[in-house]
Amino acid sequence: MPTLSLINFNIVCATLGGFISIFGLVSYLFKERFYLSEALISLLAGVAFSPHAANFIRPLDYALGTDQNLDQITLCFTRLVLGVQLVLAGVQLPKRYLQLEWKSLSLLLGPGMAAMWMCSALVIWALVPNFSFLHALAVGACVTPTDPVLSNSIVKGKFADKNVPQPLQRIIIAESGANDGLGYPFLFFALYLIQYTGMGGEGFSGGAGKAMGLWFYETWAYTILLSVGYGVTVGWISRELLHWAEEKHYVDRESFLVFAIALALFIVGTCGLIGTDDLLACFVAGNVFTQDDWFRLETMDDSLQPTIDMLLNLAVFMWFGAVCPWHLFLENNVIPIYRLIPLGILILLVRRMPIIFAMHKYIDQIESLFQTTFVGFFGPIGVGAIFYLSVSREYLANITVNEEVRADAQQVSDTIEVVVWFLVICSIVVHGLSIPFAKAGYHLPRTISQAISTSTNDEPIPLTSNQHTHSTATHDHVETTSRRTRRHDTSLPTTASRSHTPQPLAFQIGRSVIRSASPSSDARIGSGAGEEPARPVNLVLKTETKADSARSE
């Protein structure tokens, strides 16, 4: 006898597939007409299907009921999405882009990231009660990188094509791609000091000297430099192998198109095995892979990569909506809601804007104060922040004394969970609605002004019943003449051609219709014998006034 199989796999497949199908039916309307980002829509869908609402997506069930397993799932999911996104970001950039634009990128990735880190830490330190500046540095490091996934909403699509110059689009892509992998030094600078100096270094010996030694050796040498070298090597070898296979006609079109995505999966897996920075390696490999611009030009008109990109974006933000600890925003032991809301507002305003205004004269791609404001405001916090949140909580869970997490490490872990999740939600909502609100604010006053002006200046002149009948009859006569002329003249020009050719005008005076001669033709217009047939004209009726009606009477 058939029975229902309400297992999690079936429910998740049905939910995810149903949402993507329904969203696909109206995706153009939402993204290109209303300028709503797919991240915001997916987040709201995740909330609707989460245990807080419909309970179709049950993250804790998949994690066997433990928060530690749930953090691990989220960490792996964000690694996968960011790895693919960063390889594709590297592929999108033109030939030798990093070498040519090194000056602008150096400013954004050096002083820019450092200032964003410090500004974020200062705001967090000021608003989180009983929180040290060192702990605030750890939380601020998680939200320092700009997110490559959310950045796509302002560098792709109709809005970007119309309003964002291409050099500005490319520098935003390059910055968001590179700084995600460069978040490790900022994060582990704080985490090492917390481990070896917090609470007097209880449980760990060596002090600040050992913390700095680990920071230079493990973070800069092993994590950053090894990742760059590994990315360059894998990207160059992959490019040469694909060139060779293409010249020998060994690779088919489908495998050629999916090669960059497969490269991303390979780098994420191998970097995870050796414990290095897979995000930075993916971005560097993507750039080296298209160093000669060959692969980018070959796949420019293909839709496979954007399609995979969209599917991953929809899935990850649905997951965020389902796993976000919404209840912690109201009930937590680290920061009350009346401090959390100002924290989100201040981070969005001062985290990035001051340093961009300070450096905009030295960044060639930024040409005006409006573009400076745009770049300063659109520094979204998203998937990268959740990735670093998971990394930091995993590291802090290992700072233990007597098999229990040390008190200061637990406080930092709890604060990171609340603050970073709240800032990510704020960024998704604010940056997702900024463009629609900006467009509405720009067009609404003009629309209202035009409506008022039209209603004031174009009031109809009241006519008597006799005048109304006479005007209607005249209009019908002229329209009948026009239709008869079109019917007998087979050389009637199309709408496009008429729009570029000066046309004779017709004026109605009393009961007579007088047509002016066409400037482009010497043909006579009349109905007498021996005259040429009337040529087609556009008839423009003059509104009959009371004076005209009196004269015609």
Side-chain angles (χ1 to χ4, degrees), residues 67-79:
D67 292 335
Q68 187 175 2
N69 290 340
L70 185 60
D71 287 344
Q72 189 65 31
I73 293 173
T74 303
L75 175 62
C76 294
F77 198 3
T78 52
R79 283 182 60 205

Side-chain angles (χ1 to χ4, degrees), residues 10-59:
N10 294 339
I11 295 174
V12 169
C13 288
T15 303
L16 183 62
F19 166 70
I20 294 177
S21 300
I22 294 174
F23 174 72
L25 297 175
V26 292
S27 58
Y28 181 84
L29 180 67
F30 277 106
K31 294 196 293 186
E32 304 297 344
R33 294 289 182 88
F34 299 150
Y35 300 104
L36 293 173
S37 68
E38 59 192 22
L40 175 60
I41 298 171
S42 302
L43 179 76
L44 296 177
V47 177
F49 298 135
S50 71
H52 306 288
N55 198 28
F56 290 160
I57 300 177
R58 305 158 187 164

Side-chain angles (χ1 to χ4, degrees), residues 455-491:
S455 62
T456 302
N457 298 330
D458 296 340
E459 294 181 356
I461 301 175
L463 300 176
T464 64
S465 59
N466 291 337
Q467 290 170 335
H468 183 273
T469 304
H470 174 68
S471 177
T472 303
T474 303
H475 180 272
D476 293 342
H477 170 72
V478 174
E479 287 295 319
T480 304
T481 304
S482 176
R483 287 195 297 270
R484 186 182 301 116
T485 302
R486 291 191 183 95
R487 190 182 305 118
H488 290 290
D489 193 345
T490 58
S491 62

Side-chain angles (χ1 to χ4, degrees), residues 212-285:
M212 290 297 96
L214 290 173
W215 186 61
F216 280 107
Y217 167 69
E218 289 191 358
T219 303
W220 280 106
Y222 189 81
T223 303
I224 301 300
L225 296 181
L226 178 62
S227 299
V228 172
Y230 184 73
V232 170
T233 303
V234 173
W236 182 81
I237 293 175
S238 300
R239 184 185 68 200
E240 295 301 317
L241 289 176
L242 189 61
H243 268 295
W244 172 79
E246 178 69 13
E247 291 173 358
K248 299 292 185 179
H249 302 288
Y250 290 163
V251 59
D252 62 6
R253 183 63 179 174
E254 290 78 11
S255 300
F256 182 86
L257 295 176
V258 83
F259 196 87
I261 298 172
L263 179 63
L265 298 178
F266 175 78
I267 294 175
V268 168
T270 52
C271 285
L273 291 173
I274 62 178
T276 189
D277 187 353
D278 46 1
L279 306 186
L280 186 58
C282 283
F283 180 71
V284 172

Side-chain angles (χ1 to χ4, degrees), residues 353-401:
M353 192 82 71
I355 188 60
I356 296 298
F357 267 93
M359 300 189 307
H360 77 279
K361 293 182 180 179
Y362 307 101
I363 300 175
D364 297 335
Q365 291 79 6
I366 301 178
E367 300 177 350
S368 64
L369 287 178
F370 176 78
Q371 292 183 6
T372 306
T373 305
F374 177 80
V375 175
F377 178 72
F378 279 100
I381 306 169
V383 182
I386 302 300
F387 167 78
Y388 283 114
L389 178 151
S390 302
V391 170
S392 59
R393 281 173 58 84
E394 183 181 43
Y395 187 86
L396 291 167
N398 294 321
I399 303 178
T400 59
V401 176

Side-chain angles (χ1 to χ4, degrees), residues 96-134:
R96 300 179 63 245
Y97 186 83
L98 298 185
Q99 292 92 320
L100 296 175
E101 303 298 339
W102 65 269
K103 178 183 175 182
S104 299
L105 281 174
S106 298
L107 290 173
L108 291 170
L109 299 178
M113 286 192 71
M116 290 165 63
W117 179 40
M118 284 296 169
C119 288
S120 302
L122 287 171
V123 173
I124 293 168
W125 181 45
L127 290 176
V128 178
N130 304 317
F131 210 55
S132 70
F133 184 67
L134 177 59

